[in-house]
Amino acid sequence: MQRKIPFVNPAKNYLLIKDEIDAAYNDVMSKGDLVDRGQLKSFEQNLAEFVGTKYAVGLNSGYDALHMSLRAAGVGPGDEVIVPAHTFVATCSAVVNAGAKPVLVDVAKDFNIDCGKIENAITGKTKAIMPVHLSGWMADMPKVMGMAKKYDLVVIEDACQSLGSSINGKGAGSWGLAGCWSFYPFKILGGYGDGGAITTNDADVALFARRMRYNGEDRDTGEYHGHGFTCLLDNLQAAFLDVKLRHLPDWIIRRKTIAERYRRGLSGIADLFLPHYDSPGFDHIYQNYTLRSKQGNEFSEYLKNNGIEVLTQFRKPYYRHEALKLEDRGFPETEAISCEVCSLPMNVEITDEEVEYVISVVRGFYGK
Ligand SMILES: *Cc1c(COP(=O)(O)O)cnc(C)c1O
């Protein structure tokens, strides 16, 4: 019988914590606490503490977190914002929808923005830079912050894939003016539907987001402080996320153990580039185990044909989608990544035996 190794297994994950999730559900439903109640406040407090910021504001999605942060920073028409060429499209769309112009910069071997190429993209109009911490590995924030200081730029971190990651102990999402989080089901802290948040040390940014997520309204006074949006994190999702956040430290340890197993099993294959980088102080939490194979599609199709669900994000870089009308300034590393990228199953539900199967299939492909 053909084996099936899913990329993630949300039903199995639920069973790991069923009692706690069901209790959270019963609590919310029996109290009728649906909108902006204690469960949301509790989650926000715990998230802020986990990230290492003063405030967290729950929103409807990671996209909303990015969009709201840009608006809070005063980014708008006439401004340019630096974003990586290799990221999920939402990073860039948030800039466009805030009325500003995205300026794309190529990434480096670790899939994150190439800090050596940022300076070239800065103009008199540059207002902000949005580093993305992809797959659980942070962009080089000491360098990004240095650049931002030199050119007086706002930094907004797209930390949607890196909750729990850090550099020299300082958490992702606590470096810039705001850190942006997604609780999309397949993120490291995933809800049961869309969700997101901003973390910040800036009281004004937190207040702005609190009002704008609720159509601009100050909920104490009823005063509208601007034309806002409807993008509040649901109370029910917050209750579930609060449960899962308690497990996150253990789950990160499990992910690192799986990554180590992959590393041991897969090192020594010349055509594979594994996501183990040599940067002292950087902590990889393996939201994804994303490797590069010189054999590209041939490799990823072979895995799929052997029952292993893999992600190949993104075979077509977002700036190549014509309707987005973006400028391709030449991004050789992003282009190379797009042909070679492949993420193996990485989640807390997978068993060691399943990981060994994945390793054996990969080694089989390479005839080893
Ligand atoms: C998931 C993700 C987003 C968007 O999050 P949503 O909650 O789906 O809106 C933005 N940026 C990155 C890097 C992501 O991985």
Side-chain angles (χ1 to χ4, degrees), residues 20 24 42 46 189 239 241-250:
E20 291 166 85
S42 164
N46 292 330
L189 180 68
L241 291 165
D242 219 9
V243 168
K244 286 186 148 189
L245 184 58
R246 290 201 288 271
H247 292 276
L248 191 59
D250 284 342

Side-chain angles (χ1 to χ4, degrees), residues 271-292:
D271 282 355
L272 276 189
F273 176 71
L274 304 178
H276 300 273
Y277 316 111
D278 188 22
S279 299
F282 284 55
D283 188 31
H284 204 323
I285 51 94
Y286 293 100
Q287 152 83 56
N288 295 308
Y289 193 85
T290 307
L291 49 73
R292 289 170 67 165

Side-chain angles (χ1 to χ4, degrees), residues 60-64 66 87-88 90-91 132 134 158 160-161 181-184 187 194-195:
N60 191 54
S61 69
Y63 165 79
D64 286 312
L66 295 161
T87 178
F88 181 53
T91 318
V132 179
L134 221 56
D158 181 341
C160 288
Q161 294 192 8
W181 305 102
S182 168
F183 310 120
Y184 182 76
K187 299 293 158 93
D194 279 316

Side-chain angles (χ1 to χ4, degrees), residues 227-263:
H227 292 287
F229 305 87
T230 304
C231 59
L232 179 69
L233 178 63
D234 284 335
N235 218 53
L236 186 59
Q237 291 296 347
F240 294 148
L241 291 165
D242 219 9
V243 168
K244 286 186 148 189
L245 184 58
R246 290 201 288 271
H247 292 276
L248 191 59
D250 284 342
W251 286 353
I252 287 172
I253 291 170
R254 173 69 188 144
R255 280 172 183 271
K256 288 180 178 177
T257 307
I258 295 167
E260 187 51 29
R261 193 174 274 271
Y262 276 139
R263 190 188 65 77

Side-chain angles (χ1 to χ4, degrees), residues 161-269:
Q161 294 192 8
S162 288
L163 185 58
S165 182
S166 61
I167 299 173
N168 297 325
K170 187 170 166 59
S174 74
W175 293 70
L177 178 67
C180 302
W181 305 102
S182 168
F183 310 120
Y184 182 76
F186 308 131
K187 299 293 158 93
I188 194 160
L189 180 68
Y192 301 96
D194 279 316
I198 286 174
T199 50
T200 183
N201 286 312
D202 188 305
D204 292 336
V205 169
L207 184 62
F208 179 89
R210 260 180 225 296
R211 289 169 172 170
M212 290 302 143
R213 72 180 177 178
Y214 208 76
N215 299 98
E217 184 181 337
D218 182 319
R219 299 214 64 202
D220 292 329
T221 64
E223 183 75 14
Y224 297 123
H225 289 270
H227 292 287
F229 305 87
T230 304
C231 59
L232 179 69
L233 178 63
D234 284 335
N235 218 53
L236 186 59
Q237 291 296 347
F240 294 148
L241 291 165
D242 219 9
V243 168
K244 286 186 148 189
L245 184 58
R246 290 201 288 271
H247 292 276
L248 191 59
D250 284 342
W251 286 353
I252 287 172
I253 291 170
R254 173 69 188 144
R255 280 172 183 271
K256 288 180 178 177
T257 307
I258 295 167
E260 187 51 29
R261 193 174 274 271
Y262 276 139
R263 190 188 65 77
R264 279 201 312 267
L266 299 176
S267 51
I269 299 173

Side-chain angles (χ1 to χ4, degrees), residues 10-23:
K12 190 172 172 191
N13 182 277
Y14 166 61
L15 292 179
L16 295 175
I17 50 171
K18 182 177 186 312
D19 291 350
E20 291 166 85
I21 292 291
D22 292 356

Side-chain angles (χ1 to χ4, degrees), residues 7-136:
F7 191 71
V8 287
N9 193 338
K12 190 172 172 191
N13 182 277
Y14 166 61
L15 292 179
L16 295 175
I17 50 171
K18 182 177 186 312
D19 291 350
E20 291 166 85
I21 292 291
D22 292 356
Y25 173 82
N26 286 324
D27 178 55
V28 169
M29 298 309 271
S30 59
K31 289 180 182 154
D33 280 352
L34 302 182
V35 181
D36 201 4
R37 306 297 286 269
Q39 295 86 346
L40 176 60
K41 286 187 184 68
S42 164
F43 173 62
E44 287 175 336
Q45 232 162 34
N46 292 330
L47 179 68
E49 195 176 313
F50 183 83
V51 170
T53 55
K54 282 192 196 148
Y55 313 99
V57 182
L59 300 170
N60 191 54
S61 69
Y63 165 79
D64 286 312
L66 295 161
H67 182 215
M68 217 51 64
S69 299
L70 287 162
R71 286 182 178 263
V75 171
D79 296 330
E80 291 179 359
V81 177
I82 291 174
V83 298
H86 177 66
T87 178
F88 181 53
V89 67
T91 318
C92 180
S93 296
V95 174
V96 174
N97 290 338
K101 181 186 170 197
V103 175
L104 281 55
V105 168
D106 203 7
V107 293
K109 295 270 183 242
D110 67 354
F111 300 88
N112 287 331
I113 194 161
D114 186 338
C115 289
K117 293 180 177 163
I118 292 176
E119 218 150 10
N120 245 335
I122 293 175
T123 73
K125 292 180 177 171
T126 309
K127 174 106 181 203
I129 168 164
M130 296 179 91
V132 179
H133 310 314
L134 221 56
S135 296

